[in-house]
Amino acid sequence: MKYQCDMIEDLLPLYQDHICSEASRQIVEEHLQECEHCRSTVGLMRDASLENQLQKECGHVLAEHRKSENRKMITAGAVTAAILLIPVIVCLICNLAVGHGLDWFFIVLTAILLTASLLVVPMVAAEKKLLWTLLCSTCALLALLLTCCIYSGGNWFFVAAVSCLFGISLIFAPYVVRAIALPQKLQKHKALLVYLWDSLWLYLLLIVCGIFVGGGHTYWKVSLAVATYYVVLAFLWVLILRYLRWNRWTKAGVLTILTGIWGGLTNDVIKRFLPSANGGLEHVDLSQGFSVRDVDVFGANIHLTVLVVSILAGIVCLLVGIGKGKGDKE
Ligand SMILES: [Zn+2]
């Protein structure tokens, strides 16, 4: 061979893209006729360039498809919004004609807004559809509650609003925390953030309800004590599930025992800390055994049964967990 393969390989990209001189082209072609190695290199280069082209075209087709789908969704959203506008206009006219003013119309308007937020927003939102739908529907729901409360002359708006927000937060807070961009330091503590956020709403709900019912000293003491008792349990759940590196069975065992103790001893703890609030609370009473003589003892026995069963179930899980842990190490 006249030329070394290294030299030809330097020329191959130019040859492949048809931008080398006529002389170089001849040299490469002559070499290719003789050299098996360089022929296979050219073949590989052709395959790679074909693949690149295919990928580019694929990406282009997908992007076009996505655009056209988005356009279709926005059109569907606009049509749905227009259809929803019809009852709004009809009710506006009726309310004006019959009542010579607007009152119940606002209930219809906010109810339709709630429907629109659930139907139209997911269609027209370009990205983060769940987040936008959640935000818009929550605002619409609060507006609906407010108009109903004003229309009925009630004073229950805050109780209803905080109850709804607490429920929505319980279900959707994990998705929201996952969807939004958090500072680096908070990234690892999403579970804890969700837990703190939900606890905040629980206490807010207790406060709003207390004010609404004019709760006395006992209400505040009992409600805050019971809530805190279970908020601490939930906190232990988060800590164990998220931060401890035990296997699943061990975690399940510890959590079952913990929850059994917490549930079984609720009334006993409340009695100990709030002697004034002990009316009718059955406590675990071992001296009574499991005889069902009166309602209090029967209730106490249920607490005791919960306690014993969950401790036994927890111990079984723990034993399995410890066995598996040893197996993993071996
Ligand atoms: Zn060669």
Side-chain angles (χ1 to χ4, degrees):
M1 278 181 272
K2 259 196 216 165
Y3 298 96
Q4 285 181 343
C5 289
D6 288 353
M7 265 180 70
I8 299 298
E9 273 174 16
D10 287 343
L11 281 174
L12 278 182
L14 303 175
Y15 169 77
Q16 184 74 10
D17 293 339
H18 307 289
I19 46 175
C20 60
S21 65
E22 185 55 31
S24 302
R25 197 178 64 78
Q26 267 180 9
I27 292 169
V28 171
E29 276 174 1
E30 273 170 26
H31 181 87
L32 285 180
Q33 275 174 1
E34 299 166 5
C35 175
E36 171 71 36
H37 170 74
C38 286
R39 266 207 301 277
S40 75
T41 309
V42 170
L44 286 176
M45 281 170 83
R46 273 186 195 143
D47 286 352
S49 72
L50 200 66
E51 207 165 290
N52 277 344
Q53 212 171 336
L54 270 177
Q55 251 174 5
K56 259 186 212 165
E57 271 172 29
C58 252
H60 184 66
V61 169
L62 281 177
E64 280 299 312
H65 181 70
R66 210 171 299 134
K67 262 189 208 166
S68 115
E69 284 297 305
N70 279 349
R71 271 197 296 272
K72 276 184 204 160
M73 285 304 272
I74 288 172
T75 313
V79 171
T80 314
I83 293 170
L84 287 173
L85 208 58
I86 297 169
V88 173
I89 294 168
V90 171
C91 289
L92 176 76
I93 295 166
C94 288
N95 197 194
L96 278 175
V98 177
H100 303 291
L102 292 174
D103 40 32
W104 55 263
F105 163 75
F106 290 109
I107 295 178
V108 177
L109 177 69
T110 46
I112 299 275
L113 275 179
L114 180 58
T115 314
S117 65
L118 292 169
L119 283 179
V120 180
V121 174
M123 290 187 205
V124 297
E127 50 186 22
K128 297 197 173 170
K129 287 177 189 283
L130 177 75
L131 220 57
W132 282 111
T133 309
L134 190 64
L135 184 71
C136 295
S137 57
T138 306
C139 291
L141 178 65
L142 293 180
L144 177 62
L145 288 173
L146 185 65
T147 47
C148 288
C149 188
I150 292 171
Y151 184 71
S152 64
N155 61 346
W156 45 263
F157 171 70
F158 286 107
V159 175
V162 176
S163 308
C164 288
L165 288 173
F166 178 49
I168 292 171
S169 158
L170 273 183
I171 299 168
F172 291 107
Y175 298 103
V176 174
V177 167
R178 212 179 293 163
I180 55 177
L182 288 170
Q184 193 67 36
K185 276 186 184 173
L186 295 178
Q187 285 285 352
K188 282 184 184 169
H189 306 290
K190 286 176 182 169
L192 197 63
L193 278 180
V194 170
Y195 161 80
L196 290 173
W197 173 257
D198 286 340
S199 305
L200 189 80
W201 281 102
L202 174 66
Y203 282 109
L204 212 58
L205 180 62
L206 288 177
I207 292 169
V208 173
C209 288
I211 294 169
F212 182 69
V213 298
H217 198 55
T218 315
Y219 169 84
W220 293 111
K221 258 183 148 180
V222 175
S223 65
L224 292 176
V226 175
T228 307
Y229 183 70
Y230 280 102
V231 162
V232 171
L233 176 64
F235 180 65
L236 293 174
W237 267 72
V238 174
L239 280 189
I240 290 171
L241 285 177
R242 177 65 188 81
Y243 295 102
L244 293 183
R245 289 184 178 184
W246 301 339
N247 63 39
R248 283 179 193 182
W249 284 93
T250 314
K251 281 183 183 180
V254 172
L255 288 175
T256 311
I257 293 173
L258 205 63
T259 311
I261 292 174
W262 236 259
L265 296 181
T266 309
N267 289 347
D268 298 72
V269 173
I270 292 169
K271 264 192 169 179
R272 184 158 292 260
F273 290 104
L274 299 169
S276 62
N278 63 353
L281 293 178
E282 313 94 0
H283 61 115
V284 174
D285 188 351
L286 288 170
S287 67
Q288 300 286 339
F290 278 92
S291 57
V292 187
R293 274 177 308 212
D294 61 51
V295 178
D296 277 4
V297 177
F298 182 64
N301 282 341
I302 291 176
H303 284 247
L304 187 60
T305 312
V306 168
L307 188 63
V308 172
V309 169
S310 45
I311 287 175
L312 288 177
I315 288 172
V316 172
C317 289
L318 266 181
L319 289 176
V320 175
I322 290 167
K324 291 218 172 220
K326 273 186 184 165
D328 288 348
K329 271 170 203 162
E330 280 163 13

